[in-house]
Amino acid sequence: MAEVRRRRLLATLRARFDGAALQVALPGQPANAVRKPSATQLAQWAPLQAWSFEGAGTGSSPLLRPTQAPQVELPFSAAVWPADDPTALDLIDAFSRHLDGSHQLLAAGGALAELRLRLRVKARDVMWWRRRQASDPWDCGYALDAPETRAALARFEPRRATLMVAVGWPEDALVDALMAMQKTAPQFTHPVRWLVVQNGPEILTGRLSALGVPVKALQLRAADA
């Protein structure tokens, strides 16, 4: 058991953000500057955050059974957001920076404090007994509709809770990718969430639901809510 745990700890320490499967910014669109979220933004993305954590599980293994995989009640799910929402991409990007810890780095106060924060996050990754906290950073990025990306997604294994954003995919290709991940999801030790920005979200939501993919239609609150 000790040897199995040692290998898992080493794999966790070596794991890096999967840049083959996910891009931090959409091609042709510069990454938005990281700013402290406003109260309005926090209220707007509250349904999105609730969906992300739904069924995520504790993220921990029993203290005396470190080789047991953490329980993840819902390892994979999708949500669809209407593409005609003019605030969609900016708000999704801001939420992703909130979820991936960028706002924590912004508040850390200097390079040394940022390094300490990164080291604490990595140390927590290997604490099998520690329960997941809402403030724990996720991996967040855009899944592009490209052959090399689809190949990387087919072999994707999350190193920590992950949010994938898909924008502008053809519906059939998107359904294929989601179905493929649905098949491998039972092996995941961390939750993976796909947020799809798509025209005609009702049609796609119904199609995915009929295929057995856990999916929700999201419509976030208006900017003046």
Side-chain angles (χ1 to χ4, degrees), residues 101-108 111-124 135 137:
S102 293
H103 292 152
Q104 295 182 52
L105 286 174
L106 180 67
L112 183 57
E114 290 182 9
L115 177 60
R116 289 173 179 160
L117 178 59
R118 292 182 188 277
L119 290 175
R120 282 200 300 272
V121 169
K122 200 65 178 176
R124 290 167 184 167
S135 58

Side-chain angles (χ1 to χ4, degrees), residues 2-224:
E3 178 61 23
V4 172
R5 187 61 203 174
R6 187 185 70 84
R7 289 200 298 268
R8 286 185 60 183
L9 289 176
L10 287 175
T12 301
L13 286 170
R14 293 169 180 163
R16 296 293 183 268
F17 180 83
D18 191 343
L22 297 171
Q23 302 295 314
V24 176
L26 285 171
Q29 293 192 16
N32 294 331
V34 178
R35 297 185 178 90
K36 181 180 178 181
S38 66
T40 298
Q41 285 179 314
L42 292 172
Q44 283 179 289
W45 67 47
L48 183 53
Q49 178 145 334
W51 160 74
S52 298
F53 281 87
E54 183 177 343
T58 66
S60 65
S61 298
L63 179 62
L64 299 180
R65 286 183 286 169
T67 59
Q68 180 175 316
Q71 181 181 10
V72 182
E73 297 152 16
L74 187 61
F76 174 70
S77 68
V80 185
W81 192 346
D84 59 0
D85 181 348
T87 69
L89 293 183
D90 285 344
L91 192 60
I92 288 171
D93 189 74
F95 175 71
S96 297
R97 302 293 76 77
H98 163 74
L99 204 58
D100 72 7
S102 293
H103 292 152
Q104 295 182 52
L105 286 174
L106 180 67
L112 183 57
E114 290 182 9
L115 177 60
R116 289 173 179 160
L117 178 59
R118 292 182 188 277
L119 290 175
R120 282 200 300 272
V121 169
K122 200 65 178 176
R124 290 167 184 167
D125 283 347
V126 299
M127 295 178 182
W128 70 87
W129 65 90
R130 181 179 176 274
R131 296 174 68 91
R132 180 182 296 109
Q133 305 296 313
S135 58
D136 289 346
W138 288 40
D139 281 340
C140 301
Y142 296 91
L144 307 182
D145 176 33
E148 60 274 15
T149 301
R150 291 194 292 270
L153 290 170
R155 58 179 182 269
F156 180 79
E157 295 182 10
R159 64 167 181 162
R160 56 176 63 132
T162 302
L163 173 68
M164 299 181 169
V165 182
V167 180
W169 280 58
E171 186 173 306
D172 287 344
L174 180 64
V175 170
D176 288 346
L178 290 171
M179 288 299 297
M181 189 159 287
Q182 171 82 342
K183 291 179 181 178
T184 60
Q187 305 169 27
F188 292 169
T189 55
H190 302 284
V192 174
R193 304 292 181 250
W194 270 69
L195 178 60
V196 180
V197 182
Q198 186 82 1
N199 289 314
E202 298 83 4
I203 297 174
L204 178 60
T205 301
R207 185 176 175 186
L208 291 173
S209 181
L211 291 170
V213 176
V215 60
K216 285 189 173 182
L218 288 180
Q219 179 69 61
L220 301 195
R221 297 174 62 181
D224 58 353

